[in-house]
Amino acid sequence: MAPRGTAPSSKSQARFGRRTHIATAPTRRAPTRTRVGAIKSDVPPQPFTVREGELGKVLSAAIPLVLRLGTGALIGGYEVRLDADDDGSEGKYAIARFAKRRVAERSTTLPTTRPAKPITLYEYEGSPYCKKVREACSVLDLDVLFKPCPQGSLAFRAESKALGATTYPFLLDENTGAKMSESDDIIEYLFNTYGGETKVPFLLRRGGLATNSTAYAAALARMKGLSARQAKKIPEQPLELWTYEISPFSKLVRETLTELCVPHVVKYCPRGSEKRHELYAMVGHFQVPFLRDANTGKAMFESKDICEYIESEYGSS
């Protein structure tokens, strides 16, 4: 039996000031041209439905939402307004439509350009420090490649340590060449590099009295996503998960992905994100979590079905 992973140290990394240059040019998000409903979900969405036997899990997964005051639900600089619901907006998501108007959401502070490549995070779902960084990524509307490193995992812990990881979360940003541990340093770096004029939310501020205490309490709500479980295989291509950080249904999916050490790209789409329009255009509906697996061609809504699929495809036989 392979040895368990080595616990990381707690040595701090140097703090990062505001960056004024991004090494790799970021990409401007182009308007989606995907035909509405071009991708068929293998499991149709069931809005506002908790599946039988799932109520306890969903309620416990919702505790962090309350403790963290919904941090990660809204895009930085969130604004809501009424737009004309004209012929060019039929493929766009909206909170509501009425009288030829649609309730539209957007950011007024984030740059219109996004990183060219997803940021890579070595982390695990059950860590309070990792949670803070995930919330920051959601607020900043980033795409992130997650390589889970729960206790007892081997491959990604070894990979991250070779890159210089001393503790988790550990960030690798190929757009700038940045590598760092320590959640507060990572959050500061992300906002300085990709946040534009976006302010750091109250519960993500360095040294805030409630910042770490509420993150710890949120992590204790379920005590899942802490340790690795036996997996029968690791996918050749990362899975793709559309979500935003405070969704309790998405938390259940992330716990399964973390424990099986399945790499996955998270397409964060908080309220106000342009990616809500992208998902709406792809499948004709917006709901999270939504999973796509390029290795098998599967695509589906509904957290219970997603978890069952991940267990069946990648879990231990």
Side-chain angles (χ1 to χ4, degrees), residues 83-122:
D83 281 349
D85 199 11
D86 54 29
D87 293 339
S89 63
E90 72 279 356
K92 289 191 172 184
Y93 165 81
I95 303 173
R97 286 181 160 89
F98 59 92
K100 296 185 179 180
R101 308 281 284 180
R102 64 186 181 92
V103 182
E105 304 163 286
R106 65 170 186 166
S107 169
T108 60
T109 59
L110 284 181
T112 55
T113 53
R114 298 284 78 197
K117 297 179 181 180
I119 292 160
T120 301
L121 279 176
Y122 296 84

mmCIF file of all heavy atoms in Angstrom, residues 83-122:
data_model
loop_
_atom_site.group_PDB
_atom_site.id
_atom_site.type_symbol
_atom_site.label_atom_id
_atom_site.label_comp_id
_atom_site.label_asym_id
_atom_site.label_seq_id
_atom_site.Cartn_x
_atom_site.Cartn_y
_atom_site.Cartn_z
ATOM 1 N N ASP A 83 -32.808 45.999 -18.783
ATOM 2 C CA ASP A 83 -32.378 46.162 -20.167
ATOM 3 C C ASP A 83 -33.532 45.820 -21.091
ATOM 4 O O ASP A 83 -34.462 45.079 -20.720
ATOM 5 C CB ASP A 83 -31.201 45.233 -20.486
ATOM 6 C CG ASP A 83 -29.883 45.775 -19.960
ATOM 7 O OD1 ASP A 83 -29.851 46.943 -19.536
ATOM 8 O OD2 ASP A 83 -28.901 45.017 -19.956
ATOM 9 N N ALA A 84 -33.445 46.313 -22.308
ATOM 10 C CA ALA A 84 -34.437 45.957 -23.316
ATOM 11 C C ALA A 84 -34.276 44.487 -23.670
ATOM 12 O O ALA A 84 -33.167 44.002 -23.906
ATOM 13 C CB ALA A 84 -34.267 46.828 -24.549
ATOM 14 N N ASP A 85 -35.382 43.766 -23.699
ATOM 15 C CA ASP A 85 -35.358 42.348 -24.065
ATOM 16 C C ASP A 85 -35.611 42.238 -25.563
ATOM 17 O O ASP A 85 -36.691 41.864 -26.024
ATOM 18 C CB ASP A 85 -36.427 41.591 -23.276
ATOM 19 C CG ASP A 85 -36.165 40.087 -23.238
ATOM 20 O OD1 ASP A 85 -35.054 39.667 -23.635
ATOM 21 O OD2 ASP A 85 -37.056 39.338 -22.821
ATOM 22 N N ASP A 86 -34.585 42.611 -26.345
ATOM 23 C CA ASP A 86 -34.746 42.683 -27.795
ATOM 24 C C ASP A 86 -34.390 41.360 -28.456
ATOM 25 O O ASP A 86 -34.138 40.356 -27.797
ATOM 26 C CB ASP A 86 -33.896 43.826 -28.355
ATOM 27 C CG ASP A 86 -32.429 43.717 -27.919
ATOM 28 O OD1 ASP A 86 -31.951 42.589 -27.694
ATOM 29 O OD2 ASP A 86 -31.770 44.773 -27.803
ATOM 30 N N ASP A 87 -34.330 41.354 -29.782
ATOM 31 C CA ASP A 87 -34.077 40.125 -30.530
ATOM 32 C C ASP A 87 -32.708 39.549 -30.264
ATOM 33 O O ASP A 87 -32.489 38.356 -30.438
ATOM 34 C CB ASP A 87 -34.233 40.392 -32.035
ATOM 35 C CG ASP A 87 -35.665 40.702 -32.423
ATOM 36 O OD1 ASP A 87 -36.568 40.333 -31.643
ATOM 37 O OD2 ASP A 87 -35.875 41.324 -33.483
ATOM 38 N N GLY A 88 -31.762 40.370 -29.831
ATOM 39 C CA GLY A 88 -30.413 39.868 -29.601
ATOM 40 C C GLY A 88 -30.195 39.270 -28.232
ATOM 41 O O GLY A 88 -29.102 38.811 -27.921
ATOM 42 N N SER A 89 -31.225 39.267 -27.388
ATOM 43 C CA SER A 89 -31.039 38.791 -26.015
ATOM 44 C C SER A 89 -31.782 37.495 -25.717
ATOM 45 O O SER A 89 -31.836 37.075 -24.572
ATOM 46 C CB SER A 89 -31.497 39.875 -25.027
ATOM 47 O OG SER A 89 -32.882 40.141 -25.175
ATOM 48 N N GLU A 90 -32.330 36.847 -26.754
ATOM 49 C CA GLU A 90 -33.094 35.625 -26.485
ATOM 50 C C GLU A 90 -32.216 34.496 -25.962
ATOM 51 O O GLU A 90 -32.695 33.588 -25.287
ATOM 52 C CB GLU A 90 -33.850 35.165 -27.744
ATOM 53 C CG GLU A 90 -32.988 34.566 -28.853
ATOM 54 C CD GLU A 90 -32.303 35.614 -29.716
ATOM 55 O OE1 GLU A 90 -32.568 36.822 -29.494
ATOM 56 O OE2 GLU A 90 -31.517 35.229 -30.608
ATOM 57 N N GLY A 91 -30.914 34.542 -26.261
ATOM 58 C CA GLY A 91 -30.007 33.512 -25.780
ATOM 59 C C GLY A 91 -29.290 33.875 -24.508
ATOM 60 O O GLY A 91 -28.309 33.231 -24.148
ATOM 61 N N LYS A 92 -29.777 34.922 -23.810
ATOM 62 C CA LYS A 92 -29.123 35.368 -22.589
ATOM 63 C C LYS A 92 -29.959 35.034 -21.362
ATOM 64 O O LYS A 92 -31.186 35.093 -21.387
ATOM 65 C CB LYS A 92 -28.873 36.886 -22.636
ATOM 66 C CG LYS A 92 -27.782 37.287 -23.614
ATOM 67 C CD LYS A 92 -27.390 38.735 -23.423
ATOM 68 C CE LYS A 92 -26.170 39.096 -24.263
ATOM 69 N NZ LYS A 92 -25.717 40.476 -24.014
ATOM 70 N N TYR A 93 -29.242 34.710 -20.300
ATOM 71 C CA TYR A 93 -29.889 34.436 -19.015
ATOM 72 C C TYR A 93 -30.367 35.739 -18.388
ATOM 73 O O TYR A 93 -29.745 36.789 -18.523
ATOM 74 C CB TYR A 93 -28.883 33.752 -18.087
ATOM 75 C CG TYR A 93 -29.287 33.733 -16.638
ATOM 76 C CD1 TYR A 93 -30.193 32.783 -16.163
ATOM 77 C CD2 TYR A 93 -28.767 34.666 -15.747
ATOM 78 C CE1 TYR A 93 -30.568 32.773 -14.828
ATOM 79 C CE2 TYR A 93 -29.133 34.654 -14.405
ATOM 80 C CZ TYR A 93 -30.029 33.704 -13.955
ATOM 81 O OH TYR A 93 -30.407 33.697 -12.642
ATOM 82 N N ALA A 94 -31.500 35.690 -17.692
ATOM 83 C CA ALA A 94 -32.008 36.842 -16.951
ATOM 84 C C ALA A 94 -32.750 36.355 -15.723
ATOM 85 O O ALA A 94 -33.337 35.264 -15.742
ATOM 86 C CB ALA A 94 -32.927 37.691 -17.824
ATOM 87 N N ILE A 95 -32.701 37.146 -14.642
ATOM 88 C CA ILE A 95 -33.447 36.786 -13.444
ATOM 89 C C ILE A 95 -34.934 36.694 -13.761
ATOM 90 O O ILE A 95 -35.635 35.783 -13.333
ATOM 91 C CB ILE A 95 -33.242 37.837 -12.331
ATOM 92 C CG1 ILE A 95 -31.771 38.020 -12.003
ATOM 93 C CG2 ILE A 95 -34.016 37.454 -11.075
ATOM 94 C CD1 ILE A 95 -31.505 39.160 -11.024
ATOM 95 N N ALA A 96 -35.414 37.675 -14.536
ATOM 96 C CA ALA A 96 -36.829 37.719 -14.903
ATOM 97 C C ALA A 96 -36.990 38.535 -16.174
ATOM 98 O O ALA A 96 -36.136 39.365 -16.519
ATOM 99 C CB ALA A 96 -37.650 38.326 -13.760
ATOM 100 N N ARG A 97 -38.100 38.311 -16.865
ATOM 101 C CA ARG A 97 -38.452 39.061 -18.063
ATOM 102 C C ARG A 97 -39.894 39.522 -17.949
ATOM 103 O O ARG A 97 -40.763 38.756 -17.531
ATOM 104 C CB ARG A 97 -38.263 38.186 -19.312
ATOM 105 C CG ARG A 97 -36.817 37.948 -19.726
ATOM 106 C CD ARG A 97 -36.743 37.085 -20.974
ATOM 107 N NE ARG A 97 -35.466 37.213 -21.653
ATOM 108 C CZ ARG A 97 -34.395 36.451 -21.385
ATOM 109 N NH1 ARG A 97 -34.478 35.512 -20.453
ATOM 110 N NH2 ARG A 97 -33.274 36.636 -22.044
ATOM 111 N N PHE A 98 -40.138 40.771 -18.338
ATOM 112 C CA PHE A 98 -41.505 41.281 -18.338
ATOM 113 C C PHE A 98 -41.553 42.558 -19.152
ATOM 114 O O PHE A 98 -40.581 43.314 -19.221
ATOM 115 C CB PHE A 98 -41.999 41.557 -16.901
ATOM 116 C CG PHE A 98 -41.166 42.541 -16.131
ATOM 117 C CD1 PHE A 98 -41.469 43.904 -16.145
ATOM 118 C CD2 PHE A 98 -40.062 42.117 -15.414
ATOM 119 C CE1 PHE A 98 -40.690 44.814 -15.442
ATOM 120 C CE2 PHE A 98 -39.280 43.028 -14.706
ATOM 121 C CZ PHE A 98 -39.596 44.380 -14.726
ATOM 122 N N ALA A 99 -42.704 42.799 -19.792
ATOM 123 C CA ALA A 99 -42.957 44.023 -20.548
ATOM 124 C C ALA A 99 -41.807 44.366 -21.489
ATOM 125 O O ALA A 99 -41.373 45.525 -21.582
ATOM 126 C CB ALA A 99 -43.239 45.190 -19.601
ATOM 127 N N LYS A 100 -41.301 43.361 -22.204
ATOM 128 C CA LYS A 100 -40.195 43.534 -23.148
ATOM 129 C C LYS A 100 -38.928 44.076 -22.496
ATOM 130 O O LYS A 100 -38.116 44.741 -23.143
ATOM 131 C CB LYS A 100 -40.617 44.432 -24.311
ATOM 132 C CG LYS A 100 -41.730 43.842 -25.164
ATOM 133 C CD LYS A 100 -42.033 44.719 -26.373
ATOM 134 C CE LYS A 100 -43.123 44.090 -27.227
ATOM 135 N NZ LYS A 100 -43.428 44.918 -28.415
ATOM 136 N N ARG A 101 -38.779 43.788 -21.217
ATOM 137 C CA ARG A 101 -37.579 44.152 -20.471
ATOM 138 C C ARG A 101 -37.054 42.912 -19.769
ATOM 139 O O ARG A 101 -37.794 41.960 -19.508
ATOM 140 C CB ARG A 101 -37.883 45.229 -19.427
ATOM 141 C CG ARG A 101 -38.607 46.444 -19.967
ATOM 142 C CD ARG A 101 -37.703 47.401 -20.674
ATOM 143 N NE ARG A 101 -36.897 48.183 -19.751
ATOM 144 C CZ ARG A 101 -36.018 49.112 -20.143
ATOM 145 N NH1 ARG A 101 -35.833 49.357 -21.430
ATOM 146 N NH2 ARG A 101 -35.330 49.794 -19.250
ATOM 147 N N ARG A 102 -35.755 42.891 -19.483
ATOM 148 C CA ARG A 102 -35.184 41.786 -18.720
ATOM 149 C C ARG A 102 -34.334 42.345 -17.582
ATOM 150 O O ARG A 102 -33.714 43.401 -17.708
ATOM 151 C CB ARG A 102 -34.344 40.862 -19.601
ATOM 152 C CG ARG A 102 -33.111 41.476 -20.210
ATOM 153 C CD ARG A 102 -32.433 40.515 -21.183
ATOM 154 N NE ARG A 102 -31.237 41.116 -21.754
ATOM 155 C CZ ARG A 102 -30.007 40.977 -21.251
ATOM 156 N NH1 ARG A 102 -29.815 40.242 -20.170
ATOM 157 N NH2 ARG A 102 -28.974 41.551 -21.819
ATOM 158 N N VAL A 103 -34.362 41.651 -16.460
ATOM 159 C CA VAL A 103 -33.556 42.035 -15.317
ATOM 160 C C VAL A 103 -32.147 41.495 -15.554
ATOM 161 O O VAL A 103 -31.917 40.287 -15.512
ATOM 162 C CB VAL A 103 -34.138 41.489 -14.003
ATOM 163 C CG1 VAL A 103 -33.288 41.945 -12.827
ATOM 164 C CG2 VAL A 103 -35.584 41.940 -13.831
ATOM 165 N N ALA A 104 -31.206 42.378 -15.843
ATOM 166 C CA ALA A 104 -29.837 41.992 -16.199
ATOM 167 C C ALA A 104 -28.885 42.292 -15.049
ATOM 168 O O ALA A 104 -29.103 43.216 -14.270
ATOM 169 C CB ALA A 104 -29.396 42.734 -17.458
ATOM 170 N N GLU A 105 -27.809 41.499 -14.965
ATOM 171 C CA GLU A 105 -26.802 41.646 -13.914
ATOM 172 C C GLU A 105 -25.426 41.782 -14.554
ATOM 173 O O GLU A 105 -25.179 41.242 -15.619
ATOM 174 C CB GLU A 105 -26.822 40.425 -12.989
ATOM 175 C CG GLU A 105 -28.175 40.141 -12.365
ATOM 176 C CD GLU A 105 -28.244 38.734 -11.811
ATOM 177 O OE1 GLU A 105 -28.340 37.793 -12.621
ATOM 178 O OE2 GLU A 105 -28.203 38.572 -10.584
ATOM 179 N N ARG A 106 -24.529 42.470 -13.869
ATOM 180 C CA ARG A 106 -23.185 42.638 -14.407
ATOM 181 C C ARG A 106 -22.245 43.104 -13.300
ATOM 182 O O ARG A 106 -22.663 43.388 -12.169
ATOM 183 C CB ARG A 106 -23.181 43.670 -15.532
ATOM 184 C CG ARG A 106 -23.549 45.082 -15.064
ATOM 185 C CD ARG A 106 -23.309 46.115 -16.140
ATOM 186 N NE ARG A 106 -23.521 47.465 -15.633
ATOM 187 C CZ ARG A 106 -23.139 48.569 -16.252
ATOM 188 N NH1 ARG A 106 -22.502 48.479 -17.406
ATOM 189 N NH2 ARG A 106 -23.365 49.760 -15.735
ATOM 190 N N SER A 107 -20.948 43.201 -13.647
ATOM 191 C CA SER A 107 -19.949 43.784 -12.757
ATOM 192 C C SER A 107 -19.589 45.170 -13.258
ATOM 193 O O SER A 107 -19.445 45.387 -14.466
ATOM 194 C CB SER A 107 -18.685 42.921 -12.720
ATOM 195 O OG SER A 107 -17.634 43.606 -12.059
ATOM 196 N N THR A 108 -19.437 46.104 -12.330
ATOM 197 C CA THR A 108 -19.003 47.455 -12.696
ATOM 198 C C THR A 108 -17.542 47.715 -12.334
ATOM 199 O O THR A 108 -17.030 48.799 -12.598
ATOM 200 C CB THR A 108 -19.875 48.510 -11.983
ATOM 201 O OG1 THR A 108 -19.739 48.332 -10.563
ATOM 202 C CG2 THR A 108 -21.331 48.373 -12.384
ATOM 203 N N THR A 109 -16.878 46.730 -11.739
ATOM 204 C CA THR A 109 -15.501 46.949 -11.268
ATOM 205 C C THR A 109 -14.480 45.984 -11.857
ATOM 206 O O THR A 109 -13.290 46.302 -11.891
ATOM 207 C CB THR A 109 -15.427 46.826 -9.735
ATOM 208 O OG1 THR A 109 -15.867 45.520 -9.344
ATOM 209 C CG2 THR A 109 -16.301 47.869 -9.062
ATOM 210 N N LEU A 110 -14.905 44.810 -12.318
ATOM 211 C CA LEU A 110 -13.947 43.846 -12.861
ATOM 212 C C LEU A 110 -13.525 44.238 -14.269
ATOM 213 O O LEU A 110 -14.343 44.745 -15.050
ATOM 214 C CB LEU A 110 -14.554 42.451 -12.901
ATOM 215 C CG LEU A 110 -14.663 41.690 -11.585
ATOM 216 C CD1 LEU A 110 -15.282 40.313 -11.829
ATOM 217 C CD2 LEU A 110 -13.316 41.531 -10.914
ATOM 218 N N PRO A 111 -12.283 43.990 -14.645
ATOM 219 C CA PRO A 111 -11.856 44.237 -16.028
ATOM 220 C C PRO A 111 -12.652 43.353 -16.984
ATOM 221 O O PRO A 111 -13.097 42.261 -16.626
ATOM 222 C CB PRO A 111 -10.376 43.826 -16.018
ATOM 223 C CG PRO A 111 -9.967 43.836 -14.586
ATOM 224 C CD PRO A 111 -11.181 43.477 -13.796
ATOM 225 N N THR A 112 -12.835 43.830 -18.214
ATOM 226 C CA THR A 112 -13.559 43.026 -19.197
ATOM 227 C C THR A 112 -12.704 41.899 -19.746
ATOM 228 O O THR A 112 -13.203 41.001 -20.418
ATOM 229 C CB THR A 112 -14.027 43.902 -20.373
ATOM 230 O OG1 THR A 112 -12.896 44.577 -20.932
ATOM 231 C CG2 THR A 112 -15.045 44.920 -19.908
ATOM 232 N N THR A 113 -11.400 41.929 -19.489
ATOM 233 C CA THR A 113 -10.512 40.851 -19.915
ATOM 234 C C THR A 113 -10.306 39.871 -18.769
ATOM 235 O O THR A 113 -10.334 40.234 -17.600
ATOM 236 C CB THR A 113 -9.146 41.398 -20.363
ATOM 237 O OG1 THR A 113 -8.605 42.218 -19.325
ATOM 238 C CG2 THR A 113 -9.300 42.218 -21.621
ATOM 239 N N ARG A 114 -10.092 38.621 -19.120
ATOM 240 C CA ARG A 114 -9.898 37.562 -18.145
ATOM 241 C C ARG A 114 -8.576 36.855 -18.426
ATOM 242 O O ARG A 114 -8.035 36.946 -19.541
ATOM 243 C CB ARG A 114 -11.043 36.547 -18.223
ATOM 244 C CG ARG A 114 -12.433 37.128 -17.910
ATOM 245 C CD ARG A 114 -12.657 37.370 -16.416
ATOM 246 N NE ARG A 114 -12.006 38.571 -15.922
ATOM 247 C CZ ARG A 114 -11.771 38.824 -14.633
ATOM 248 N NH1 ARG A 114 -12.109 37.935 -13.713
ATOM 249 N NH2 ARG A 114 -11.192 39.935 -14.269
ATOM 250 N N PRO A 115 -8.017 36.125 -17.464
ATOM 251 C CA PRO A 115 -6.758 35.415 -17.708
ATOM 252 C C PRO A 115 -6.869 34.467 -18.905
ATOM 253 O O PRO A 115 -7.907 33.833 -19.117
ATOM 254 C CB PRO A 115 -6.542 34.641 -16.404
ATOM 255 C CG PRO A 115 -7.343 35.358 -15.383
ATOM 256 C CD PRO A 115 -8.519 35.941 -16.097
ATOM 257 N N ALA A 116 -5.800 34.383 -19.681
ATOM 258 C CA ALA A 116 -5.813 33.527 -20.866
ATOM 259 C C ALA A 116 -5.927 32.050 -20.502
ATOM 260 O O ALA A 116 -6.554 31.273 -21.215
ATOM 261 C CB ALA A 116 -4.546 33.774 -21.692
ATOM 262 N N LYS A 117 -5.306 31.663 -19.378
ATOM 263 C CA LYS A 117 -5.327 30.268 -18.940
ATOM 264 C C LYS A 117 -5.957 30.180 -17.553
ATOM 265 O O LYS A 117 -5.814 31.094 -16.737
ATOM 266 C CB LYS A 117 -3.906 29.703 -18.873
ATOM 267 C CG LYS A 117 -3.176 29.657 -20.200
ATOM 268 C CD LYS A 117 -1.767 29.094 -20.013
ATOM 269 C CE LYS A 117 -1.003 29.057 -21.335
ATOM 270 N NZ LYS A 117 0.368 28.511 -21.150
ATOM 271 N N PRO A 118 -6.652 29.072 -17.258
ATOM 272 C CA PRO A 118 -7.178 28.913 -15.898
ATOM 273 C C PRO A 118 -6.046 28.914 -14.877
ATOM 274 O O PRO A 118 -4.959 28.388 -15.119
ATOM 275 C CB PRO A 118 -7.868 27.538 -15.940
ATOM 276 C CG PRO A 118 -8.169 27.303 -17.381
ATOM 277 C CD PRO A 118 -7.050 27.953 -18.136
ATOM 278 N N ILE A 119 -6.294 29.531 -13.738
ATOM 279 C CA ILE A 119 -5.359 29.466 -12.617
ATOM 280 C C ILE A 119 -5.407 28.058 -12.051
ATOM 281 O O ILE A 119 -6.469 27.422 -12.026
ATOM 282 C CB ILE A 119 -5.750 30.508 -11.565
ATOM 283 C CG1 ILE A 119 -5.504 31.913 -12.120
ATOM 284 C CG2 ILE A 119 -5.004 30.325 -10.262
ATOM 285 C CD1 ILE A 119 -6.265 32.982 -11.416
ATOM 286 N N THR A 120 -4.289 27.533 -11.584
ATOM 287 C CA THR A 120 -4.252 26.200 -10.983
ATOM 288 C C THR A 120 -4.180 26.329 -9.469
ATOM 289 O O THR A 120 -3.349 27.078 -8.946
ATOM 290 C CB THR A 120 -3.037 25.397 -11.490
ATOM 291 O OG1 THR A 120 -3.112 25.269 -12.919
ATOM 292 C CG2 THR A 120 -3.016 24.006 -10.878
ATOM 293 N N LEU A 121 -5.043 25.602 -8.773
ATOM 294 C CA LEU A 121 -5.027 25.571 -7.311
ATOM 295 C C LEU A 121 -4.897 24.136 -6.832
ATOM 296 O O LEU A 121 -5.672 23.258 -7.238
ATOM 297 C CB LEU A 121 -6.297 26.190 -6.737
ATOM 298 C CG LEU A 121 -6.361 27.717 -6.646
ATOM 299 C CD1 LEU A 121 -7.726 28.157 -6.150
ATOM 300 C CD2 LEU A 121 -5.264 28.263 -5.727
ATOM 301 N N TYR A 122 -3.918 23.897 -5.989
ATOM 302 C CA TYR A 122 -3.771 22.633 -5.273
ATOM 303 C C TYR A 122 -4.412 22.872 -3.903
ATOM 304 O O TYR A 122 -3.943 23.718 -3.130
ATOM 305 C CB TYR A 122 -2.304 22.266 -5.135
ATOM 306 C CG TYR A 122 -1.593 22.013 -6.453
ATOM 307 C CD1 TYR A 122 -1.069 23.073 -7.191
ATOM 308 C CD2 TYR A 122 -1.465 20.724 -6.956
ATOM 309 C CE1 TYR A 122 -0.423 22.852 -8.402
ATOM 310 C CE2 TYR A 122 -0.811 20.491 -8.165
ATOM 311 C CZ TYR A 122 -0.300 21.553 -8.877
ATOM 312 O OH TYR A 122 0.337 21.324 -10.078
#
